[in-house]
Amino acid sequence: MDARADGLRRFATIWSRAIYPATATSMTRAEFEEYLLPLARGLDEALRATPFDPRPAFEVGSALVAAHCTDPEVLPSILRVVDAYLVLYCPPEELPADESRSRCARLQHAIAAGFARALVERTRYEQEAISRAAIAARAEAETALQASEARFRAVFEGAAVGIGIADLDGRILELNDALTQMFGGEHHVRNRNVSDFVHPDDGADVWGLYGELVRGERDDYRITKPYYRPDGTALWTNLSVSLLRDSSGVPQYQLALMEDITEARLLTERLRHEATHDTLTGLPNRALFFERLEQALSPGTGTERLGLCYLDLDGFKAVNDSLGHAVGDRLLVAVAERLQACVTAPDQLVARIGGDEFAALIVDPATQGEVTDLADRILAALSTTVRLDGRELPVHGSIGIVEGPTGTRGAADVLRSADITMYRAKAAGGNRYEVADPDSDARAITRHGLTNRLPTALERGEFFIEYQPLIRLADGSVQGAEALVRWCHPLHGVLGPDQFIPLAESTGQIVPLGRWVLQESARQAREWQRRSADGLPVRVNVNLSPCQLYHPGLVDEVAAVLEETGLDPTALCLEVTESALIGADEDALKPLRRLVDLGVDIALDDFGTGYSNLSSLRWLPISNLKLDRAFTRGIRQHPADPVDLKIVEGIVSLAHTLGLTVTVEGVETRTQAEHLGLLGCDTAQGWYYARPGPPDHLHTLTLADAMSA
C-alpha cells in the first residue's frame, strides 16, 4: 500500500470512529468505514485539484446524510475530523501549508452545505406524503364547498397540514386543528385578517403575490413565510395559497395550506453557523471571513474601500510548548473576547483565521486612520496580561494593515499583502503594526519566488562563478582569487550572493550549492596550476557558510573534492565569517581542525565587523585574517585618517605576532594600496586591482593591468 492510500485509510478509520456512534445506519463499523473510504478519496482529490473546486465536498455531505448520519450533533464531529486530519494524513505536497489549510476550510464549508441541503431534502421527502394529502385536501375542499359540508369537514379536520380559509378581503373564516396548533392556540389566529400577519423577514414579493391572487390575476402561489407565535418566536412555513372559484369560475375564497418547517430552518441555520464559525472561540472562521472579503471586493456591491488588520500573536508557540495546548486554547479564547470588544460598528468583522492568527475587516473606512485606530485598540486590548490558573500570561501581537480601494485586487492578494506586512511588523520587534506598501510586497514576493526556484536552479545550471584576484602587496603578483558565486536568473538577470545566499541558508539549499561552488573552484584552481608557467599552486579562496560549517559531512566532502580534482590542499583556503567562529566551542571547531590537518588554510572573514574576542585568535584554527573594508575607508586619500592607520597597524602587528597573514578587502585606490603595503598587510583585493570576472581574467592579469584599472 503506497503512502497516500495508507493515509486515506487512516483518515477514514479516524472519521469512522468519530461519527459512527451518532449514526442510525444498519451497517457495521467495518462496513461504515469502507463506505467512508471513497468519500475520503474524493476529499483528497478535491484538496489537490488544480484549479481548486470545493463542489465535490458538497456531495460528501449528501452521502453522509444518505448513510443515516442525520443527527445534528454529528456534523461538528464530521468537520472536526476533516479540519484536524485531512491535511495531516493526505498532505498535498505541491501546495504551501497556508493554501492547504485554506482549501481544507472551504471543503468543510461545502461538506456542511451539502449535509444541510440533503437533510432538508430528506425532511421534505418525508413530508411529501403530507404534501400530497394537502393537495388532495385542497381539491376535495373545492368540491366539498359545492357539494357536501360533512364530507369537507372530515377532510378539513383530519388533515395533517394546517389549512385555513379566508374570503377575498382577507377575513379568516375557517381553521383546522393542525393550523391552530402551529400558532399555539386558536385565539391568535381566529377573527383576524390575513394582512395582520406581516413579518419583518417576509420576502420582497410575498404581498405582491397575495395581491395578484385576491384580484384573480393568478390562481395560486407557493412561498416560504415566517409568522409570529404568541411567545414572540418565529414559525417558519412552506405556504401554498390557492384561489377557490364557484361553479361559474368567479373567485370566492382563498385556501392556505401550511407546513411547519421551523425545525428544519433552525437546523439549517445552526449548520451554517457551525460551518462558518470557529468552534473554540465562537468567532467567524476563515471561510466566512474570506466570503465577506470577497463580497466587499466584488464590483457592484457599493463598497469603495476596505481596511484589513491581520494579527499574529507574538510568542504563542512558547505558551503551547511550555504550558500545553489546553492553556493555549484558553488564552486564544481570552484574546478572541478582547478582539470582539474592539469591533465597534456593524461594518466591522473580526475572525479567527487559524492557529493564533486573527483578522479584522472594515468596510468603507472613512480614512486610513480609522483602520490604524482599530489596530491601536487591538494592541491596547492585548497589552494587559491574561490571568489563567494563577499565572499572568503576557500577550502581544504583530499586525499587518491593508487599506485601499476595492475592485483592483482579489481576496487572496489582499490577504497575502496583509500577511507579508504582518511579518514585517514581527521582524521589527513585534507588538506593533505596519501598513502595507507595494514595494515591500514586491520584495517579499520576489524573495518567495527565488526561494521556490532555488532547489532546481542548480540542476538547471543557472549558477556560475566569478573570481576576484588576490594580490600580494610585497611585489604586486597574483597569489590567487576568491570564488564568488552568481545566479543567472531567467527573470531577474544576474543576482549577487547577497540576494540569494541568505535564502539558501534559511532553506538548507546552501549545502548542495556550497558543495558545487567548492567542486567548481577546485577544478578551476587545478586548471590555473596546469597553465601556470612555473607550475606552482594558485590559491583559491572559497566562502564557507555557517550552515556548511556545522554540516556533518563537510570534512569528507572537502577531502573528496581535493582527491577528485587533484588540487594540492595548500592551494585551497576556506573563508569563515568572524560571527561564525568567535565564541564557538571546541566541538564546533573540530571540523576546521581536521581540515587544517589535511593542509587546507582557514581564513577569518569580515574581521572587525563583530565584537571580537581578540584572545580567541590564539586558539582558533586559522591562518589568515581578512580585514573588513570598513577599517580602510579612511585611508583612500591623502592625508589618511591617522586613527584608521593606527587600528590597521595594530591588527597587522597582532596577527603577525600570532603567525597569521592579513588580507584586506575593498581596496579601491592607489593610496590605499600603498598605505596597506607600508603597514605590513600581506595581500589585498578590490576594484583597484580588478573586479570579479571569468576564470581567464585571472590568468591574463598583470600588475600593469591592475595599475591601469
Side-chain angles (χ1 to χ4, degrees), residues 539 569-570 572-575 595-596 599-603 621-624:
R539 181 190 186 98
T570 60
L572 176 63
C573 178
L574 298 177
E575 298 186 9
L595 290 171
V596 171
V600 175
D601 282 342
I602 305 297
I622 60 175
S623 57
N624 177 261

Side-chain angles (χ1 to χ4, degrees), residues 407-480:
T408 58
R409 307 171 71 179
D413 288 339
V414 172
L415 280 178
R416 179 175 61 180
S417 179
D419 189 45
I420 290 171
T421 309
M422 178 270 292
Y423 277 106
R424 277 204 290 122
K426 196 175 285 288
N431 194 28
R432 58 182 292 146
Y433 67 76
E434 293 285 344
V435 179
D437 70 83
D439 290 342
S440 296
D441 286 0
R443 287 193 296 270
I445 293 169
T446 299
R447 285 196 301 272
H448 180 71
L450 293 178
T451 303
N452 286 342
R453 191 175 176 88
L454 262 173
T456 58
L458 190 58
E459 299 172 5
R460 294 171 177 168
E462 294 177 5
F463 291 101
F464 67 96
I465 300 173
E466 292 186 328
Y467 298 88
Q468 185 169 41
L470 290 162
I471 306 301
R472 185 178 290 107
L473 288 172
D475 57 12
S477 63
V478 178
Q479 183 183 23

Side-chain angles (χ1 to χ4, degrees), residues 281-300:
T281 64
L283 292 177
N285 62 14
R286 184 184 185 91
L288 180 56
F289 184 84
F290 205 88
E291 180 181 303
R292 295 285 180 84
L293 181 58
E294 286 182 323
Q295 288 175 357
L297 292 170
S298 297

